[in-house]
Amino acid sequence: MTRSTTRRPRRRRPFGAAALVAAGLTAGALPTIPGSAGASETPKQVREAAAEELKEVFFVGNNWEGTADVINSRGDYAKIGRINMIPDKKERLREIYLNPVKLAFFLGIRLGPGEGHDQYVDDMYTTKDGKSVVASRPSFADVVSIDVESGKINWRFPVSGFRSDHMAVSPDGTQVAVSSSISNTVHVLDMATGKEAGNFKTGDKPHENVYTNGGKYLWNMAIGEVNTDMDAPWQDFTKGDRRITIADAKTFEVKKIIDMRERLDAFGRKDLSDALRPVAFTPDESKMYFQLSFFNGFVEYDVHNDKITRVKTLPKNPDTSDERTTYVNDSRHHGMSMSPQGDKLCIAGTMDDYVTVVNRETLQEGPLLTASKPYWATVSGDGKHCVVSESGTDQVTAIDFATGKKVTSIPVGDHPQRVRLGHVPTDWTGPTTG
């Protein structure tokens, strides 16, 4: 496998904020979660056919640029338009620079998770009517709703703490959950108004959010402290409380705490970190697959029996250093999605510069396709392709689930990360302002 020649040089991560105090909750019995569809990375309702007046699209969040490119969700993946996700940038920066505490965290985000850049757009979901896109903006510590026609902000919700992160939209499209990575909180907001419906506490640095059981439960994966250079295995105790928190999606009562450290140890993998990165559920939600900090591979977890069943180690790129402090935010591999049939996994080998499609039954990987710092993986609107963001070369790439081969690449903005299915009006070509 050859290395991309256009990738950006990597930076060594400076020290970030210290890990917060661990909550110390213990595991109890898993809530009963009957098999049901809808827990894959992309919510069920956006995979279904939209109303005739709406067009299904991909929103590609250009994190360092503060824009979202809107492209076709299948076929040629051609660009349709672009939205400025930070139309209030001057106002937000003025507010930050006049507050020493906010400024300290703003600069900390730039030097830590931002790799020397401000993080202006992380996650995005559109409303069911296709009129607005809701996005988390880490450096501005908020969530905003932006009108796709005018480019103006409908509402803004400042999160507790000083950084917003991954989101998830409820299966009915009425609520959006967002991780506040500094305050160890998940806020659940009304998609239409931005008002908080409720919240719950998590482990240190809440990250990925996933709705399961038709929207009955909300899972959050806390990754712990990832912005220090204390990455040696013997320094693992400094990483904080990394756990899965499962909450009732209506009452926000915590129903279950899963300490994956115990499950990994029981499986004989004490060498692996217990910090979960992206996850993917099977269509019936009986199994969950997840990536871990520092690991070039993934883990299979039996949800109903509450145990790890398989661990897959994927190939190393010989040009990738084994020095952990060179991994971006502790991520060796970051990004995975599952085919709609549940038979294939698409894996983004972030620091190893490749993407591969894995047979879920045998765990055999397919061709290793060279990709520059692939950071996220999702599924095309027709379910045929895995679509990954290549943050090192500012493009998104489609890979055929059936063959494991590349289909096409589309240039986008600066440092694409999250890619989400959504909808816009059929004749939409971009906002009138912004």
Side-chain angles (χ1 to χ4, degrees):
M1 181 181 66
T2 58
R3 198 85 157 165
S4 171
T5 58
T6 56
R7 61 181 291 106
R8 293 190 183 92
R10 295 194 179 102
R11 299 175 176 82
R12 183 179 174 88
R13 291 174 291 110
F15 277 80
L20 298 178
V21 177
L25 295 178
T26 58
L30 271 171
T32 301
I33 305 178
S36 63
S40 58
E41 186 272 333
T42 305
K44 181 179 180 181
Q45 80 277 1
V46 296
R47 298 198 309 269
E48 297 173 340
E52 291 184 1
E53 67 272 15
L54 296 181
K55 178 180 178 64
E56 183 190 73
V57 296
F58 272 131
F59 277 75
V60 182
N62 303 311
N63 195 10
W64 295 349
E65 187 173 274
T67 62
D69 281 311
V70 181
I71 65 176
N72 284 332
S73 63
R74 61 186 77 189
D76 61 3
Y77 299 98
K79 286 185 184 179
I80 299 171
R82 172 175 283 193
I83 299 176
N84 177 14
M85 305 301 286
I86 48 173
D88 57 339
K89 180 179 179 180
K90 290 183 178 180
E91 180 182 355
R92 298 279 76 80
L93 290 179
R94 184 183 308 113
E95 178 183 87
I96 288 168
Y97 276 88
L98 289 175
N99 185 314
V101 177
K102 288 184 177 181
L103 178 59
F105 278 94
F106 177 79
L107 296 176
I109 292 169
R110 178 186 293 173
L111 295 175
E115 303 174 72
H117 301 263
D118 297 324
Q119 294 189 310
Y120 288 132
V121 53
D122 186 276
D123 219 341
M124 310 142 294
Y125 289 100
T126 58
T127 52
K128 290 182 72 174
D129 60 11
K131 293 182 178 180
S132 303
V133 57
V134 175
S136 57
R137 306 188 299 181
S139 288
F140 291 163
D142 64 11
V143 180
V144 292
S145 170
I146 295 179
D147 187 292
V148 301
E149 295 284 6
S150 69
K152 295 180 179 179
I153 293 177
N154 298 315
W155 55 257
R156 174 176 180 261
F157 179 86
V159 301
S160 59
F162 299 90
R163 185 177 182 273
S164 54
D165 199 45
H166 285 229
M167 302 198 303
V169 69
S170 60
D172 64 5
T174 62
Q175 294 183 332
V176 63
V178 59
S179 291
S180 175
S181 58
I182 305 298
S183 68
N184 297 349
T185 302
V186 170
H187 299 280
V188 181
L189 313 177
D190 184 289
M191 283 280 280
T193 66
K195 293 183 178 179
E196 185 175 34
N199 64 72
F200 60 92
K201 288 296 183 179
T202 68
D204 290 333
K205 299 294 176 67
H207 194 55
E208 183 85 326
N209 295 293
V210 181
Y211 281 93
T212 65
N213 195 229
K216 184 176 182 179
Y217 296 109
L218 178 56
W219 294 47
N220 176 267
M221 292 71 176
I223 59 174
E225 181 57 63
V226 299
N227 301 133
T228 74
D229 281 344
M230 300 177 73
D231 294 340
W234 69 270
Q235 297 172 315
D236 186 72
F237 71 94
T238 68
K239 295 295 185 178
D241 181 16
R242 294 151 293 179
R243 53 176 156 107
I244 299 174
T245 302
I246 305 175
D248 185 295
K250 289 185 178 180
T251 66
F252 311 108
E253 177 186 357
V254 174
K255 294 294 186 179
K256 167 70 180 176
I257 301 293
I258 300 176
D259 180 358
M260 203 56 76
R261 175 76 277 143
E262 297 174 1
R263 280 76 174 166
L264 286 164
D265 290 353
F267 191 77
R269 294 306 301 264
K270 294 183 179 181
D271 58 311
L272 295 178
S273 168
D274 60 345
L276 273 68
R277 314 311 294 243
V279 307
F281 282 83
T282 53
D284 65 358
E285 299 178 358
S286 64
K287 287 185 172 61
M288 178 179 73
Y289 296 82
F290 56 85
Q291 294 165 312
L292 294 168
S293 288
F294 309 117
F295 183 48
N296 51 298
F298 59 88
V299 176
E300 178 185 79
Y301 171 73
D302 186 316
V303 176
H304 298 312
N305 293 312
D306 188 21
K307 66 178 183 179
I308 290 170
T309 47
R310 292 189 291 180
V311 174
K312 171 65 175 180
T313 301
L314 288 166
K316 295 182 178 180
N317 187 322
D319 292 335
T320 298
S321 173
D322 286 328
E323 173 53 55
R324 289 183 169 204
T325 58
T326 64
Y327 300 169
V328 177
N329 301 320
D330 292 355
S331 299
R332 179 73 182 250
H333 287 185
H334 189 286
M336 67 188 309
S337 63
M338 186 176 294
S339 62
Q341 298 80 13
D343 61 338
K344 300 288 181 65
L345 284 163
C346 179
I347 305 296
T350 307
M351 302 309 295
D352 289 296
D353 289 332
Y354 68 72
V355 178
T356 189
V357 174
V358 177
N359 182 298
R360 192 174 71 84
E361 181 179 357
T362 64
L363 298 190
Q364 179 59 50
E365 69 272 11
L368 304 183
L369 305 178
T370 299
S372 182
K373 196 182 169 188
Y375 216 88
W376 194 249
T378 189
V379 181
S380 62
D382 58 13
K384 294 180 180 180
H385 301 152
C386 168
V387 177
V388 298
S389 58
E390 293 193 56
S391 59
T393 47
D394 298 340
Q395 63 184 9
V396 293
T397 296
I399 296 142
D400 191 286
F401 270 117
T403 66
K405 296 181 178 180
K406 176 178 174 178
V407 177
T408 189
S409 293
I410 305 297
V412 291
D414 192 9
H415 205 265
Q417 288 190 201
R418 224 67 61 226
V419 182
R420 300 290 194 186
L421 279 176
H423 293 95
V424 293
T426 52
D427 58 352
W428 185 88
T429 57
T432 55
T433 63

